[in-house]
Amino acid sequence: MMFETPQHRVMEEWNLQVTEYIYVVFMSFEMGIKVLANGLLFTPNAVVNDIGGILDLFIYFVSLIFSCWMPHHVQPNSGAQFLMILRCLRPIRIFILVPHMRNVVYVLCRGFKEILLVSVLLIVLMFVFASYGVQLLGLKLARCNDPSVLEKENCVGVFMRTVHVAKYIKVRDNETQPMMMVPRIWFMPSMFISLSSLAA
């Protein structure tokens, strides 16, 4: 699947089709051995007794149907497109085949509540420190929109500001940068304005 691109699709490339058929054949042997050894439904260790076995069967049937059908024209929002999306479940089998990976996923699922509580605590602490920063640095980071003016008392009147039409357009040496007259304003950066409104 990782070698498939919009220009090289499995329906059109023979080497991708061969790997698809090899995958289905080997998975058929695997599922057949599992069913013969453990049973399918009414045995103590049946294949469908856990979610891993059900997922294996589902991935196998999706792969088998796709390899038999192999649609050449896939329309948007069609059954063929949905079948190709279901093929993306194949990498999930790594969690079934490797017991240590399965244990990791199981522990993460069990600890979801604790992870959620820690996330809530981090968000609360973030707003606490954001409020503290606004109270400590409020109005101390304001500046004039005219870079040549550093004091609030001098930030009055108007000045000529350079206008950038586009960042990738460079002015030649014999040309002048376009400018326009704008009023001087003493203002806070927009990022700190948004933080102060959230902390308030």
Side-chain angles (χ1 to χ4, degrees):
M1 287 177 58
M2 65 180 180
F3 295 107
E4 296 180 25
T5 63
Q7 291 77 29
H8 303 281
R9 301 190 304 166
V10 66
M11 293 81 73
E12 301 168 354
E13 301 291 333
W14 66 269
N15 50 351
L16 297 179
Q17 292 181 11
V18 169
T19 56
E20 184 77 17
Y21 293 142
I22 290 175
Y23 175 82
V24 173
V25 169
F26 276 96
M27 196 170 181
S28 299
F29 280 116
E30 178 189 352
M31 297 306 301
I33 293 173
K34 283 184 177 180
V35 171
L36 290 176
N38 300 324
L40 181 62
L41 291 173
F42 305 109
T43 56
N45 297 322
V47 176
V48 296
N49 269 358
D50 59 348
I51 188 64
I54 296 174
L55 186 61
D56 273 342
L57 284 175
F58 181 76
I59 293 174
Y60 170 68
F61 282 115
V62 167
S63 303
L64 183 64
I65 294 172
F66 180 79
S67 60
C68 294
W69 185 12
M70 201 71 71
H72 290 275
H73 300 285
V74 181
Q75 298 294 331
N77 300 324
S78 63
Q81 185 185 32
F82 183 67
L83 189 65
M84 294 186 69
I85 293 173
L86 291 178
R87 293 171 65 229
C88 299
L89 295 175
R90 290 179 182 179
I92 300 179
R93 297 193 68 223
I94 191 68
F95 300 108
I96 303 169
L97 299 177
V98 181
H100 296 292
M101 294 290 291
R102 189 188 308 178
N103 294 335
V104 170
V105 174
Y106 179 68
V107 171
L108 285 176
C109 293
R110 286 189 60 187
F112 178 76
K113 181 180 179 181
E114 287 75 13
I115 294 173
L116 182 62
L117 293 176
V118 171
S119 302
V120 172
L121 177 62
L122 289 177
I123 292 173
V124 172
L125 290 177
M126 182 182 68
F127 277 101
V128 169
F129 284 104
S131 178
Y132 175 76
V134 169
Q135 301 299 326
L136 183 65
L137 303 173
L139 300 179
K140 293 183 179 180
L141 299 176
R143 59 185 176 86
C144 187
N145 61 343
D146 186 356
S148 61
V149 178
L150 302 178
E151 300 295 334
K152 183 177 181 180
E153 292 76 12
N154 300 328
C155 189
V156 293
V158 295
F159 72 105
M160 299 299 294
R161 188 177 186 88
T162 304
V163 178
H164 297 278
V165 180
K167 293 182 179 180
Y168 57 87
I169 298 178
K170 296 183 178 179
V171 180
R172 299 184 180 91
D173 296 334
N174 58 351
E175 295 180 349
T176 58
Q177 190 77 19
M179 305 178 72
M180 65 181 296
M181 185 175 292
V182 296
R184 290 189 177 95
I185 301 174
W186 190 263
F187 72 104
M188 285 283 293
S190 58
M191 180 178 65
F192 294 98
I193 294 174
S194 61
L195 284 177
S196 62
S197 62
L198 286 174

